[in-house]
Amino acid sequence: MIILYALTGIFLEDSHADRLTIVPHLDLEYQHDSNYFKAENGEKSVGTYIFRPGIDLGYVTAKSSLSLNYSAEVNQYSGEDNISDYDYVGHKASLAVKSQVSNRLTMAVLNDFIKTRDPASSDEFNNDVTRNKYTLNRFTPGLLYQFGDKFSLGVKFTNLRTDYSEGISEDSNENRGTFTLTYNLNHSTAVDIDYQVWDRDYEGSSSDYTSNQAMFNLKKKYKYLTFKAGAGYHAREFDHSDMNDLNAPTWVIGVKGQTGSSSDGTPKSWIDATLNQNYNDSGSGDFYYKATKFSASLGHVFMERLKMDLKGFYQFSDYDEGPRKDNKWALACRTNYAVNKVFSLAVEPGFESRQSNEAGKDYDNTYILFNINVRYDLGGKNWF
């Protein structure tokens, strides 16, 4: 709260080059899943109707910026008996406040909130298939201090709160500290040492734990591409004495790139690919595994109106307790046609599959999604 008050005061003092943007938007979607609950047997074909109104707000001054994005998501299901019991209203909101306090010091506060039944949002290496409703709130204040042209030090704190509303999975609370020392070798090459320490507390029978992770990272920029490589070590200690502590190397390799510019300011072509390995953080029920994951997205805009995005991932999960090993992959292609600056239409077919050496964990799911988007920029002009 102290940081928020300080940033608010800076906004009031910094009144140069004020700019306010207001963008209301609305999505109408229909998605059909051949195996909505991702079960090995007894597949249930489900259709989902989604009504998603929202608004994006932005405020920028010479040294500060503020953005607030919010959308509600009304989900109604059809196709199976009693499937309407899963109907719910989801929410997604993000707040970002950033201010350059001095020539060397920058302060920022980020907060992300989501209410959903999609388990993918709960962990980067999620391997769950449950459709339990939950809320997730991530609050992150941080500081970045520039010692000069070469060195900088970033410090941030993150509180992650996960609450399940139906009492099936366990609620949890995570507190994390991150310290990043960066050295710029030149205008295109930088190295950093990143250290993170965090604890996660469960409100049920699952063991609480403390993790320590240190990594060395290298980033190299070229004209159109940026490469990143990093390696380090992750050690996790559990409170329950009957559980084995986890210790293993962690690493990441990635590339991002883009070329050209479309009429709406987005890239003409782009690629984003990452290969990394680490443990999952969310382990309700003491289910932890080492995950090796490759994810990629690449796309292109044709004729200024037709945007195609091919995306997918592959993840190998090696469970710590027992012999279970899972192979999961997904592939989808989204095609979006901009009718004009306000209306757009999209279709996205996709497929997801998991094979496991443990009985009952295999599944296949084919889906197709149709989307109508209405988005109106109320000017993006100087309002003050």
Side-chain angles (χ1 to χ4, degrees):
M1 291 302 294
I2 295 175
I3 295 177
L4 281 173
Y5 284 132
L7 289 171
T8 302
I10 293 168
F11 264 98
L12 294 175
E13 293 178 3
D14 181 16
S15 59
H16 301 290
D18 293 345
R19 183 178 177 86
L20 175 68
T21 57
I22 304 174
V23 184
H25 49 84
L26 173 66
D27 286 276
L28 301 175
E29 279 187 2
Y30 173 77
Q31 179 170 327
H32 180 269
D33 290 86
S34 66
N35 185 11
Y36 177 75
F37 292 100
K38 300 179 180 179
E40 182 170 331
N41 300 302
E43 298 182 359
K44 294 185 181 297
S45 177
V46 174
T48 308
Y49 297 90
I50 301 172
F51 175 73
R52 188 187 300 115
I55 189 168
D56 297 340
L57 303 174
Y59 182 57
V60 179
T61 69
K63 295 184 178 181
S64 305
S65 64
L66 182 150
S67 66
L68 175 62
N69 305 319
Y70 171 76
S71 61
E73 186 174 277
V74 181
N75 293 262
Q76 293 188 324
Y77 300 95
S78 65
E80 294 286 341
D81 293 339
N82 301 319
I83 193 64
S84 60
D85 293 344
Y86 284 83
D87 293 354
Y88 77 102
V89 178
H91 301 277
K92 187 175 184 180
S94 63
L95 170 69
V97 185
K98 182 179 180 181
S99 183
Q100 185 177 342
V101 182
S102 68
N103 291 334
R104 296 182 180 274
L105 180 63
T106 301
M107 302 171 63
V109 173
L110 307 176
N111 196 89
D112 296 299
F113 174 85
I114 187 171
K115 181 178 181 180
T116 183
R117 287 192 183 276
D118 184 2
S121 300
S122 63
D123 195 288
E124 177 185 1
F125 300 106
N126 175 267
N127 196 33
D128 199 1
V129 296
T130 60
R131 292 290 185 174
N132 301 328
K133 185 168 53 180
Y134 67 96
T135 61
L136 185 151
N137 190 83
R138 180 182 284 106
F139 173 68
T140 306
L143 302 171
L144 177 65
Y145 188 81
Q146 298 280 135
F147 292 97
D149 295 334
K150 295 292 185 178
F151 281 100
S152 66
L153 175 64
V155 180
K156 63 181 180 181
F157 165 79
T158 302
N159 173 259
L160 177 62
R161 177 71 191 178
T162 307
D163 291 300
Y164 288 87
S165 60
E166 296 166 331
I168 301 175
S169 299
E170 288 184 62
D171 300 341
S172 66
N173 187 73
E174 179 185 291
N175 292 305
R176 181 184 301 237
T178 303
F179 309 86
T180 306
L181 181 64
T182 302
Y183 178 70
N184 297 305
L185 298 171
N186 51 52
H187 71 281
S188 63
T189 308
V191 295
D192 72 67
I193 298 175
D194 181 89
Y195 172 70
Q196 299 182 37
V197 55
W198 68 96
D199 61 71
R200 181 175 284 241
D201 299 326
Y202 291 95
E203 296 186 0
S205 60
S206 296
S207 176
D208 302 340
Y209 70 78
T210 300
S211 273
N212 287 268
Q213 176 180 291
M215 290 193 69
F216 177 82
N217 301 293
L218 169 67
K219 182 180 290 186
K220 177 67 176 179
K221 295 181 180 180
Y222 294 93
K223 185 175 181 180
Y224 298 115
L225 297 173
T226 299
F227 294 91
K228 178 181 180 180
Y233 200 79
H234 184 173
R236 177 171 296 170
E237 182 178 346
F238 294 99
D239 287 3
H240 290 182
S241 58
D242 59 340
M243 292 188 63
N244 296 322
D245 295 337
L246 303 179
N247 299 273
T250 179
W251 48 266
V252 60
I253 302 172
V255 58
K256 289 185 178 182
Q258 63 182 52
T259 61
S261 179
S262 303
S263 58
D264 61 356
T266 59
K268 190 84 170 180
S269 302
W270 65 92
I271 183 173
D272 187 349
T274 303
L275 175 65
N276 58 341
Q277 183 181 93
N278 210 334
Y279 291 111
N280 63 311
D281 289 334
S282 178
S284 178
D286 294 329
F287 290 110
Y288 293 96
Y289 46 85
K290 185 192 299 181
T292 305
K293 184 176 184 178
F294 173 75
S295 56
S297 172
L298 58 98
H300 184 75
V301 179
F302 300 89
M303 302 176 292
E304 294 292 334
R305 292 179 180 268
L306 186 64
K307 180 186 296 185
M308 298 191 68
D309 185 12
L310 181 65
K311 54 188 177 181
F313 72 86
Y314 166 79
Q315 178 173 310
F316 173 69
S317 303
D318 185 0
Y319 281 75
D320 180 64
E321 298 290 336
R324 180 181 172 183
K325 293 177 173 59
D326 290 0
N327 292 277
K328 184 172 72 171
W329 65 276
L331 185 65
C333 182
R334 186 180 182 94
T335 302
N336 189 91
Y337 180 74
V339 179
N340 51 41
K341 292 183 178 181
V342 177
F343 296 95
S344 65
L345 307 172
V347 60
E348 179 183 318
F351 179 79
E352 181 179 333
S353 178
R354 184 174 73 184
Q355 290 81 44
S356 175
N357 63 353
E358 185 172 309
K361 302 299 183 182
D362 294 355
Y363 72 83
D364 293 323
N365 179 48
T366 301
Y367 74 87
I368 187 165
L369 179 149
F370 300 95
N371 172 274
I372 300 174
N373 175 264
V374 182
R375 184 180 185 88
Y376 187 72
D377 188 343
L378 294 178
K381 61 185 73 173
N382 292 324
W383 287 70
F384 299 101

